[in-house]
Amino acid sequence: MAARRAERLVNLVICLLSTRQYLTAERIRDAVPGYESADGRKATDEAFKRMFERDKAELRDLGIPLETGRNSHFDAEDGYRIKRGDYELPPIEFNAAEAAAVGLAARLWQSATLGEPARAALMKLRAAGTDVQDDASPGAVPYLDASDPSLPALLEAAQTARPVTFEYVKSGAGTAQVRTIEPWGVLSWRKRWYVAGLDRDRGEPRSFRLSRITGPVKFVGVAGAFDRPEKVDLLEMVAGSGQTRDRVAHVRVTGPGAASLRRIAETDDDGVLAIAFAEVQWLARQIASAGSTAVVLDPPDLIDAVVGRLRAAAAGVGV
């Protein structure tokens, strides 16, 4: 839809919502920006009539309840209006648990690709008078990091039952291997994201940490290509896979830019954080995203990983 036409339709809807009376086509022509004013020429009048008929049809196709009627028996022609009660959505009400869930979803997407739509949705809910708990205290609403680049694609794949393939670096391995899975679900456990499902290459259920996925996640099948088992405990699949945080890094932080690192730290000794971790690249990404507000003190392989990410970012290479 052209921008001028879209703007005219919006103006028309606003005009028809702003009155309780039926407005004739000529009154609408004078009141709504975008319609050419009458100049006494028949061609101009015919052009307006064709445009107005198209606009009425467009509004009805969009599901907008455009009414036709007359204000009294003395009116010579029909008029138009939009009843506000038929057009507006009913009040949206959440119970305490539902409101907390919406707030939690907003925190999830605050650093992911759907951040802007999530913020827009919250604004609309608040405008409708809905109390959304997106600013609850850290103890009430857990911190969720959604910076893993593969998260949106895997969420979509799990929701639509589409197989995917990706390169994965197993713990202790130096090179990536191609894995193809049927994702049953994506979950967060101990501040890490995992995808769990059927590993087609191994022929058995497996879970994969998102921070170890390198490169893009690619769809290799159509939606609905597999059925998720009815009785499957994704948390047990992840928790039972032996994922432990057996290493500790020390990071010096300054300023508010390191807030995400402070949230995952075990201790904070006058600006020096002790952070338990198992995956070097995952923590390197968190530290690199903090920029100059964070400096790794140890271990050496983590220092090298952060330096590598910063150099790649400076060179314009995605990591």
Side-chain angles (χ1 to χ4, degrees):
M1 184 185 300
R4 292 181 62 183
R5 184 183 180 192
E7 182 179 358
R8 186 178 70 249
L9 289 175
V10 171
N11 290 332
L12 177 59
V13 170
I14 293 173
C15 175
L16 296 178
L17 278 172
S18 302
T19 179
R20 295 182 179 179
Q21 295 183 330
Y22 293 102
L23 300 181
T24 63
E26 286 302 319
R27 291 190 63 184
I28 293 171
R29 182 180 186 179
D30 294 335
V32 176
Y35 292 124
E36 189 173 353
S37 301
D39 58 6
R41 294 188 300 169
K42 183 178 180 180
T44 304
D45 293 340
E46 292 295 331
F48 162 71
K49 290 179 182 179
R50 290 193 299 270
M51 181 182 294
F52 186 55
E53 289 300 320
R54 289 196 300 268
D55 288 351
K56 288 191 297 180
E58 182 74 24
L59 293 185
R60 290 188 172 113
D61 288 343
L62 293 172
I64 298 175
L66 181 63
E67 287 189 336
T68 302
R70 301 187 181 188
N71 298 310
S72 71
H73 297 292
F74 301 101
D75 290 341
E77 59 180 295
D78 288 337
Y80 307 91
R81 71 179 182 183
I82 299 173
K83 288 185 65 175
R84 186 176 293 272
D86 295 338
Y87 179 72
E88 294 178 338
L89 291 173
I92 302 174
E93 298 181 356
F94 292 141
N95 59 33
E98 292 169 337
V102 173
L104 186 60
R107 291 172 68 91
L108 162 63
W109 291 114
Q110 65 185 353
S111 59
T113 55
L114 295 185
E116 189 58 38
R119 284 189 290 271
L122 288 176
M123 290 177 63
K124 292 178 182 179
L125 289 172
R126 290 196 187 98
T130 301
D131 181 21
V132 179
Q133 303 174 16
D134 66 318
D135 55 351
S137 63
V141 181
Y143 168 72
L144 290 176
D145 171 37
S147 62
D148 284 295
S150 57
L151 178 59
L154 290 173
L155 285 171
E156 179 183 350
Q159 182 180 16
T160 59
R162 292 187 67 181
V164 294
T165 184
F166 49 79
E167 293 186 352
Y168 188 78
V169 180
K170 188 177 180 180
S171 178
T175 58
Q177 294 180 333
V178 176
R179 312 300 284 267
T180 302
I181 70 167
E182 297 176 0
W184 296 340
V186 180
L187 69 157
S188 176
W189 184 69
R190 292 188 177 179
K191 303 178 183 178
R192 307 287 194 274
W193 282 102
Y194 298 84
V195 58
L198 176 65
D199 186 333
R200 286 185 169 181
D201 304 311
R202 275 70 179 173
E204 61 183 25
R206 293 286 182 90
S207 65
F208 303 88
R209 185 184 295 178
L210 269 59
S211 61
R212 291 179 178 160
I213 295 176
T214 62
V217 173
K218 301 177 181 179
F219 296 102
V220 293
V222 298
F226 62 87
D227 294 322
R228 172 178 169 173
E230 293 185 2
K231 295 182 179 180
V232 58
D233 190 338
L234 299 182
L235 182 59
E236 177 61 27
M237 288 179 62
V238 172
S241 62
Q243 305 289 349
T244 59
R245 296 183 295 166
D246 54 3
R247 304 182 64 191
V248 176
H250 294 93
V251 184
R252 179 178 290 113
V253 296
T254 57
S260 62
L261 293 176
R262 289 190 171 94
R263 282 194 290 264
I264 62 175
E266 302 290 332
T267 61
D268 183 348
D269 184 10
D270 195 23
V272 176
L273 307 181
I275 304 175
F277 73 102
E279 175 54 45
V280 171
Q281 293 301 325
W282 175 85
L283 185 53
R285 184 172 64 249
Q286 312 305 314
I287 296 170
S289 64
S292 61
T293 63
V295 177
V296 185
L297 302 180
D298 59 65
D301 59 338
L302 179 60
I303 296 175
D304 294 340
V306 172
V307 171
R309 285 181 170 272
L310 293 175
R311 286 176 175 169
V317 180
V319 291

